Amino acid sequence: MLSRTADQLFWMARYIERAENTARMLDVHVTTSLLPMPRETAERGWSAVLGISELQPAFDARFGKLTASDVLDFMVRDSDNPSSIARCLQAARENARAVRGTLTTEVWETHNDTWLQLQQHLQGRPWERDPREFFEWVKFRSHLSRGVTIGTMLKDEAYYFVRLGTFLERSDNTARILDIKFHGLSEAAVSLLSERDATEEQPYLDFYYWAAVLRSVSAFEIYRKVYRDVITPARVAELLMLRADMPRSLLASLNEVCSNLEQVRNDQSAETSRRAGLLRAELLYGRIDDILDTGLHLFLTSFLKRVNDLGQRISRDFLVPLH
């Protein structure tokens, strides 16, 4: 396969997954912002959304004062923000159009229709009246794109590059969502997140807060099936990081990254596969108590750096290194 074709398939998948995960991140924050909390706490939360996405300087240059409505506008429709939902869906469609001959008709039409429907959602800004309904639409369109890809594409290199882009992006974004929710906790609080402290009345054990976090990654029902008990931060972290049977967990995503890397390997990709396998092994054999003891934020920061390194190495080994 031509490197440029592989590159466009890879980034098509990454952009549609990024749009979905941005919608998930904003959705959980809209939900948790409805809970009783001081204004300063709510503002720190919205600032964290920008900070973990590395968009705080761009936002400050554009808006100055931080408000929830401006953050939503910036992350949903701002054409100057390359990570906004609108820009991601546009980029996914442009990459899909460039490789129409490699995609099935159903996959192309799904991406094109998503872009056309987006214009209706943005026209007149109806999404502002009910942002959660809009976020559900974004998630649905991403699910549809993924399902059509699995259901109609030949399992060849094109398919594997699409899947590789999807799960590399998912691992990055799940880590960011986790980091947003745990980053505000002090080191003393983080040390108390183990199950043995679950009975203590800590403010961060609020049921609705952590239920919203779980729902942001479609994990609320899964949590109930796995743990059948009260929701605690330690278990939330364990589910979203170390459970291979949780579809959006870090381990599940790295399992897919390693599997798809194996399918497209070439003479120069051995080191990339080794690093992906090493990161996967740390999750596979890791224990949440050990991670919490050493620092969850530190672990997630390191994880994000290593995922970024994998993305750069994949570009070097297989793709057109322009992104």
Side-chain angles (χ1 to χ4, degrees), residues 87-108:
R87 281 288 302 274
C88 286
L89 293 180
Q90 179 186 22
R93 189 243 190 186
E94 289 175 351
N95 280 282
R97 182 174 58 180
V99 290
R100 280 186 66 175
T102 305
L103 302 174
T104 61
T105 300
E106 291 89 345
V107 173
W108 156 246

Side-chain angles (χ1 to χ4, degrees), residues 205-207 210-211 214 220 223-224 229-233 235-236:
L205 295 180
D206 181 83
F207 170 83
W210 294 109
L214 289 169
F220 183 77
Y223 185 99
R224 287 305 194 194
D229 204 347
V230 64
I231 298 176
T232 69
R235 289 171 178 166
V236 171

Side-chain angles (χ1 to χ4, degrees), residues 196-210:
R196 61 181 177 273
D197 300 303
T199 58
E200 296 187 11
E201 293 184 0
Q202 300 289 347
Y204 48 77
L205 295 180
D206 181 83
F207 170 83
Y208 295 103
Y209 180 89
W210 294 109

Side-chain angles (χ1 to χ4, degrees), residues 164-209:
L164 184 57
T166 293
F167 289 104
L168 191 69
E169 185 68 28
R170 181 175 297 181
S171 65
D172 179 276
N173 283 277
T174 297
R176 290 180 188 275
I177 288 174
L178 263 175
D179 204 26
I180 284 175
K181 294 301 140 190
F182 283 87
H183 186 47
L185 301 180
S186 67
E187 289 300 318
V190 171
S191 68
L192 296 174
L193 292 180
S194 63
E195 290 185 29
R196 61 181 177 273
D197 300 303
T199 58
E200 296 187 11
E201 293 184 0
Q202 300 289 347
Y204 48 77
L205 295 180
D206 181 83
F207 170 83
Y208 295 103
Y209 180 89

Side-chain angles (χ1 to χ4, degrees), residues 64-286:
K65 184 180 179 180
L66 187 146
T67 65
S69 59
D70 284 342
V71 173
L72 283 172
D73 185 80
F74 184 68
M75 297 298 291
V76 168
R77 60 180 293 275
D78 197 311
S79 60
D80 293 326
N81 174 12
S83 293
S84 71
I85 291 174
R87 281 288 302 274
C88 286
L89 293 180
Q90 179 186 22
R93 189 243 190 186
E94 289 175 351
N95 280 282
R97 182 174 58 180
V99 290
R100 280 186 66 175
T102 305
L103 302 174
T104 61
T105 300
E106 291 89 345
V107 173
W108 156 246
E109 288 181 347
T110 298
H111 281 282
N112 192 49
D113 190 48
T114 296
W115 172 246
L116 295 175
Q117 288 188 35
L118 176 67
Q119 308 314 304
Q120 299 174 3
H121 279 281
L122 297 182
Q123 187 175 11
R125 302 158 73 97
W127 64 271
E128 291 182 328
R129 292 191 295 271
D130 190 354
R132 297 196 63 198
E133 181 180 354
F134 173 73
F135 299 146
E136 287 298 322
W137 174 83
V138 175
K139 289 187 280 185
F140 172 76
R141 297 305 300 186
S142 178
H143 296 165
L144 183 61
S145 170
R146 201 156 47 245
V148 170
T149 298
I150 294 171
T152 67
M153 284 188 66
L154 182 69
K155 305 300 188 292
D156 59 2
E157 282 190 328
Y159 175 85
Y160 296 127
F161 277 113
V162 170
R163 300 290 283 173
L164 184 57
T166 293
F167 289 104
L168 191 69
E169 185 68 28
R170 181 175 297 181
S171 65
D172 179 276
N173 283 277
T174 297
R176 290 180 188 275
I177 288 174
L178 263 175
D179 204 26
I180 284 175
K181 294 301 140 190
F182 283 87
H183 186 47
L185 301 180
S186 67
E187 289 300 318
V190 171
S191 68
L192 296 174
L193 292 180
S194 63
E195 290 185 29
R196 61 181 177 273
D197 300 303
T199 58
E200 296 187 11
E201 293 184 0
Q202 300 289 347
Y204 48 77
L205 295 180
D206 181 83
F207 170 83
Y208 295 103
Y209 180 89
W210 294 109
V213 173
L214 289 169
R215 287 193 174 97
S216 75
V217 287
S218 301
F220 183 77
E221 291 85 357
I222 294 174
Y223 185 99
R224 287 305 194 194
K225 288 181 180 179
V226 171
Y227 297 105
R228 302 178 182 275
D229 204 347
V230 64
I231 298 176
T232 69
R235 289 171 178 166
V236 171
E238 180 180 58
L239 182 69
L240 300 188
M241 294 173 68
L242 306 181
R243 296 280 308 204
D245 50 359
M246 164 58 200
R248 305 192 74 84
S249 74
L250 302 186
L251 178 55
S253 298
L254 261 294
N255 282 342
E256 292 286 347
V257 168
C258 291
S259 174
N260 286 284
L261 271 175
E262 180 66 19
Q263 295 292 337
V264 299
R265 69 184 187 278
N266 59 27
D267 293 339
Q268 60 186 20
S269 64
E271 178 62 17
T272 301
S273 295
R274 188 192 71 82
R275 294 192 181 203
L278 181 60
L279 184 54
R280 172 185 174 273
E282 291 181 15
L283 294 167
L284 180 62
Y285 299 107

